[in-house]
mmCIF file of all heavy atoms in Angstrom:
data_model
loop_
_atom_site.group_PDB
_atom_site.id
_atom_site.type_symbol
_atom_site.label_atom_id
_atom_site.label_comp_id
_atom_site.label_asym_id
_atom_site.label_seq_id
_atom_site.Cartn_x
_atom_site.Cartn_y
_atom_site.Cartn_z
ATOM 1 N N ALA Q 261 96.848 241.442 125.372
ATOM 2 C CA ALA Q 261 97.506 242.661 125.765
ATOM 3 C C ALA Q 261 98.133 242.550 127.138
ATOM 4 O O ALA Q 261 99.032 243.312 127.510
ATOM 5 C CB ALA Q 261 96.614 243.884 125.727
ATOM 6 N N ARG Q 262 97.663 241.613 127.926
ATOM 7 C CA ARG Q 262 98.165 241.448 129.295
ATOM 8 C C ARG Q 262 99.599 240.981 129.296
ATOM 9 O O ARG Q 262 100.422 241.268 130.225
ATOM 10 C CB ARG Q 262 97.277 240.434 130.026
ATOM 11 C CG ARG Q 262 97.473 240.408 131.506
ATOM 12 C CD ARG Q 262 96.667 239.154 132.113
ATOM 13 N NE ARG Q 262 97.537 237.948 131.809
ATOM 14 C CZ ARG Q 262 97.036 236.701 131.910
ATOM 15 N NH1 ARG Q 262 95.793 236.440 132.283
ATOM 16 N NH2 ARG Q 262 97.803 235.693 131.659
ATOM 17 N N SER Q 263 100.012 240.193 128.265
ATOM 18 C CA SER Q 263 101.343 239.682 128.259
ATOM 19 C C SER Q 263 102.215 240.459 127.354
ATOM 20 O O SER Q 263 101.732 241.000 126.259
ATOM 21 C CB SER Q 263 101.282 238.237 127.787
ATOM 22 O OG SER Q 263 102.521 237.678 127.471
ATOM 23 N N SER Q 264 103.515 240.533 127.530
ATOM 24 C CA SER Q 264 104.349 241.362 126.617
ATOM 25 C C SER Q 264 105.722 240.656 126.465
ATOM 26 O O SER Q 264 106.109 239.793 127.189
ATOM 27 C CB SER Q 264 104.625 242.745 127.203
ATOM 28 O OG SER Q 264 105.442 242.681 128.275
ATOM 29 N N LEU Q 265 106.382 241.061 125.322
ATOM 30 C CA LEU Q 265 107.716 240.590 125.047
ATOM 31 C C LEU Q 265 108.719 241.073 126.092
ATOM 32 O O LEU Q 265 109.636 240.413 126.630
ATOM 33 C CB LEU Q 265 108.161 241.127 123.684
ATOM 34 C CG LEU Q 265 109.614 240.791 123.254
ATOM 35 C CD1 LEU Q 265 110.043 239.286 123.256
ATOM 36 C CD2 LEU Q 265 109.895 241.417 121.872
ATOM 37 N N ARG Q 266 108.488 242.336 126.578
ATOM 38 C CA ARG Q 266 109.379 242.979 127.550
ATOM 39 C C ARG Q 266 109.391 242.137 128.835
ATOM 40 O O ARG Q 266 110.431 241.984 129.453
ATOM 41 C CB ARG Q 266 108.901 244.426 127.778
ATOM 42 C CG ARG Q 266 109.838 245.141 128.740
ATOM 43 C CD ARG Q 266 109.321 246.454 129.327
ATOM 44 N NE ARG Q 266 110.431 247.197 129.855
ATOM 45 C CZ ARG Q 266 111.022 246.797 131.039
ATOM 46 N NH1 ARG Q 266 110.567 245.687 131.758
ATOM 47 N NH2 ARG Q 266 112.020 247.525 131.550
ATOM 48 N N GLN Q 267 108.178 241.738 129.160
ATOM 49 C CA GLN Q 267 108.040 240.902 130.468
ATOM 50 C C GLN Q 267 108.955 239.748 130.469
ATOM 51 O O GLN Q 267 109.581 239.305 131.444
ATOM 52 C CB GLN Q 267 106.580 240.489 130.517
ATOM 53 C CG GLN Q 267 106.007 239.964 131.720
ATOM 54 C CD GLN Q 267 104.473 239.689 131.565
ATOM 55 O OE1 GLN Q 267 103.860 240.103 130.626
ATOM 56 N NE2 GLN Q 267 103.928 238.866 132.441
ATOM 57 N N ALA Q 268 109.064 239.097 129.342
ATOM 58 C CA ALA Q 268 109.904 237.826 129.256
ATOM 59 C C ALA Q 268 111.389 238.274 128.986
ATOM 60 O O ALA Q 268 112.236 237.751 129.627
ATOM 61 C CB ALA Q 268 109.374 237.044 128.055
ATOM 62 N N ALA Q 269 111.495 239.230 128.106
ATOM 63 C CA ALA Q 269 112.837 239.615 127.694
ATOM 64 C C ALA Q 269 113.687 240.323 128.749
ATOM 65 O O ALA Q 269 114.880 240.117 128.881
ATOM 66 C CB ALA Q 269 112.812 240.517 126.442
ATOM 67 N N LYS Q 270 113.017 241.233 129.537
ATOM 68 C CA LYS Q 270 113.783 242.056 130.515
ATOM 69 C C LYS Q 270 113.535 241.499 131.906
ATOM 70 O O LYS Q 270 114.526 241.449 132.737
ATOM 71 C CB LYS Q 270 113.294 243.476 130.466
ATOM 72 C CG LYS Q 270 113.737 244.175 129.150
ATOM 73 C CD LYS Q 270 115.169 244.590 129.269
ATOM 74 C CE LYS Q 270 116.004 243.980 128.133
ATOM 75 N NZ LYS Q 270 117.455 244.201 128.146
ATOM 76 N N ASP Q 271 112.263 241.039 132.243
ATOM 77 C CA ASP Q 271 112.050 240.665 133.664
ATOM 78 C C ASP Q 271 112.248 239.141 133.838
ATOM 79 O O ASP Q 271 112.252 238.677 134.992
ATOM 80 C CB ASP Q 271 110.568 241.014 134.063
ATOM 81 C CG ASP Q 271 110.250 242.505 133.802
ATOM 82 O OD1 ASP Q 271 111.252 243.320 133.733
ATOM 83 O OD2 ASP Q 271 108.998 242.834 133.688
ATOM 84 N N GLY Q 272 112.359 238.396 132.749
ATOM 85 C CA GLY Q 272 112.556 236.949 132.901
ATOM 86 C C GLY Q 272 111.263 236.202 133.194
ATOM 87 O O GLY Q 272 111.391 234.986 133.609
ATOM 88 N N ASP Q 273 110.121 236.890 132.993
ATOM 89 C CA ASP Q 273 108.867 236.123 133.231
ATOM 90 C C ASP Q 273 108.537 235.301 132.055
ATOM 91 O O ASP Q 273 107.749 235.666 131.165
ATOM 92 C CB ASP Q 273 107.759 237.097 133.616
ATOM 93 C CG ASP Q 273 106.410 236.487 134.034
ATOM 94 O OD1 ASP Q 273 106.502 235.164 133.977
ATOM 95 O OD2 ASP Q 273 105.515 237.138 134.320
ATOM 96 N N ILE Q 274 109.099 234.090 132.052
ATOM 97 C CA ILE Q 274 108.989 233.228 130.828
ATOM 98 C C ILE Q 274 107.708 232.437 130.742
ATOM 99 O O ILE Q 274 107.450 231.737 129.778
ATOM 100 C CB ILE Q 274 110.215 232.317 130.602
ATOM 101 C CG1 ILE Q 274 110.472 231.455 131.885
ATOM 102 C CG2 ILE Q 274 111.434 233.177 130.243
ATOM 103 C CD1 ILE Q 274 111.454 230.363 131.713
ATOM 104 N N GLU Q 275 106.935 232.447 131.790
ATOM 105 C CA GLU Q 275 105.616 231.709 131.766
ATOM 106 C C GLU Q 275 104.518 232.659 131.340
ATOM 107 O O GLU Q 275 103.586 232.243 130.682
ATOM 108 C CB GLU Q 275 105.352 230.992 133.154
ATOM 109 C CG GLU Q 275 106.134 229.806 133.262
ATOM 110 C CD GLU Q 275 106.004 228.839 132.101
ATOM 111 O OE1 GLU Q 275 104.840 228.710 131.528
ATOM 112 O OE2 GLU Q 275 106.960 228.078 131.785
ATOM 113 N N GLN Q 276 104.516 233.962 131.836
ATOM 114 C CA GLN Q 276 103.388 234.875 131.526
ATOM 115 C C GLN Q 276 103.766 235.759 130.409
ATOM 116 O O GLN Q 276 102.886 236.475 129.825
ATOM 117 C CB GLN Q 276 102.950 235.664 132.786
ATOM 118 C CG GLN Q 276 102.342 234.734 133.918
ATOM 119 C CD GLN Q 276 101.171 234.024 133.439
ATOM 120 O OE1 GLN Q 276 100.330 234.507 132.553
ATOM 121 N NE2 GLN Q 276 100.978 232.803 133.969
ATOM 122 N N GLY Q 277 105.040 235.935 130.073
ATOM 123 C CA GLY Q 277 105.489 236.834 129.036
ATOM 124 C C GLY Q 277 105.469 236.193 127.645
ATOM 125 O O GLY Q 277 105.186 235.036 127.496
ATOM 126 N N LYS Q 278 105.769 236.962 126.590
ATOM 127 C CA LYS Q 278 105.832 236.481 125.204
ATOM 128 C C LYS Q 278 107.258 236.154 124.888
ATOM 129 O O LYS Q 278 108.046 237.018 124.553
ATOM 130 C CB LYS Q 278 105.188 237.509 124.257
ATOM 131 C CG LYS Q 278 103.718 237.718 124.368
ATOM 132 C CD LYS Q 278 103.139 238.832 123.603
ATOM 133 C CE LYS Q 278 101.616 238.898 123.607
ATOM 134 N NZ LYS Q 278 101.133 240.252 123.352
ATOM 135 N N VAL Q 279 107.539 234.823 124.870
ATOM 136 C CA VAL Q 279 108.926 234.363 124.652
ATOM 137 C C VAL Q 279 109.071 234.206 123.052
ATOM 138 O O VAL Q 279 109.029 233.060 122.567
ATOM 139 C CB VAL Q 279 109.274 233.093 125.350
ATOM 140 C CG1 VAL Q 279 110.701 232.685 125.216
ATOM 141 C CG2 VAL Q 279 108.961 233.344 126.934
ATOM 142 N N GLU Q 280 109.244 235.312 122.314
ATOM 143 C CA GLU Q 280 109.200 235.206 120.934
ATOM 144 C C GLU Q 280 110.446 234.406 120.414
ATOM 145 O O GLU Q 280 111.606 234.741 120.818
ATOM 146 C CB GLU Q 280 109.150 236.560 120.277
ATOM 147 C CG GLU Q 280 107.909 237.259 120.584
ATOM 148 C CD GLU Q 280 107.724 238.554 119.954
ATOM 149 O OE1 GLU Q 280 108.479 238.947 118.945
ATOM 150 O OE2 GLU Q 280 106.870 239.460 120.380
ATOM 151 N N ALA Q 281 110.266 233.459 119.517
ATOM 152 C CA ALA Q 281 111.359 232.623 118.972
ATOM 153 C C ALA Q 281 110.820 231.808 117.878
ATOM 154 O O ALA Q 281 109.627 231.507 117.727
ATOM 155 C CB ALA Q 281 111.991 231.738 119.960
ATOM 156 N N GLY Q 282 111.708 231.456 116.913
ATOM 157 C CA GLY Q 282 111.249 230.751 115.733
ATOM 158 C C GLY Q 282 111.407 229.234 115.962
ATOM 159 O O GLY Q 282 112.051 228.731 116.883
ATOM 160 N N GLN Q 283 110.840 228.501 114.915
ATOM 161 C CA GLN Q 283 110.881 227.074 115.002
ATOM 162 C C GLN Q 283 112.371 226.517 115.074
ATOM 163 O O GLN Q 283 112.613 225.481 115.695
ATOM 164 C CB GLN Q 283 110.238 226.376 113.763
ATOM 165 C CG GLN Q 283 108.774 226.647 113.769
ATOM 166 C CD GLN Q 283 108.126 225.968 112.507
ATOM 167 O OE1 GLN Q 283 108.645 225.886 111.451
ATOM 168 N NE2 GLN Q 283 106.866 225.641 112.601
ATOM 169 N N CYS Q 284 113.235 227.242 114.495
ATOM 170 C CA CYS Q 284 114.657 226.817 114.507
ATOM 171 C C CYS Q 284 115.290 226.773 115.861
ATOM 172 O O CYS Q 284 116.433 226.403 116.022
ATOM 173 C CB CYS Q 284 115.501 227.549 113.453
ATOM 174 S SG CYS Q 284 115.804 229.249 113.903
ATOM 175 N N ALA Q 285 114.548 227.284 116.833
ATOM 176 C CA ALA Q 285 115.019 227.192 118.245
ATOM 177 C C ALA Q 285 115.440 225.679 118.501
ATOM 178 O O ALA Q 285 116.423 225.354 119.204
ATOM 179 C CB ALA Q 285 113.937 227.573 119.276
ATOM 180 N N GLY Q 286 114.697 224.790 117.845
ATOM 181 C CA GLY Q 286 114.973 223.396 118.010
ATOM 182 C C GLY Q 286 116.252 222.837 117.334
ATOM 183 O O GLY Q 286 116.612 221.731 117.546
ATOM 184 N N LEU Q 287 116.827 223.720 116.567
ATOM 185 C CA LEU Q 287 118.127 223.373 115.951
ATOM 186 C C LEU Q 287 119.328 223.951 116.690
ATOM 187 O O LEU Q 287 120.472 223.677 116.282
ATOM 188 C CB LEU Q 287 118.177 223.951 114.476
ATOM 189 C CG LEU Q 287 117.118 223.344 113.503
ATOM 190 C CD1 LEU Q 287 117.214 224.114 112.124
ATOM 191 C CD2 LEU Q 287 117.362 221.899 113.229
#
Side-chain angles (χ1 to χ4, degrees):
R262 195 192 72 196
S263 170
S264 71
L265 172 61
R266 187 190 192 290
Q267 194 177 344
K270 290 283 121 186
D271 307 338
D273 184 356
I274 54 171
E275 282 308 326
Q276 295 302 328
K278 290 173 174 157
V279 185
E280 296 184 18
Q283 290 180 332
C284 68
L287 296 174

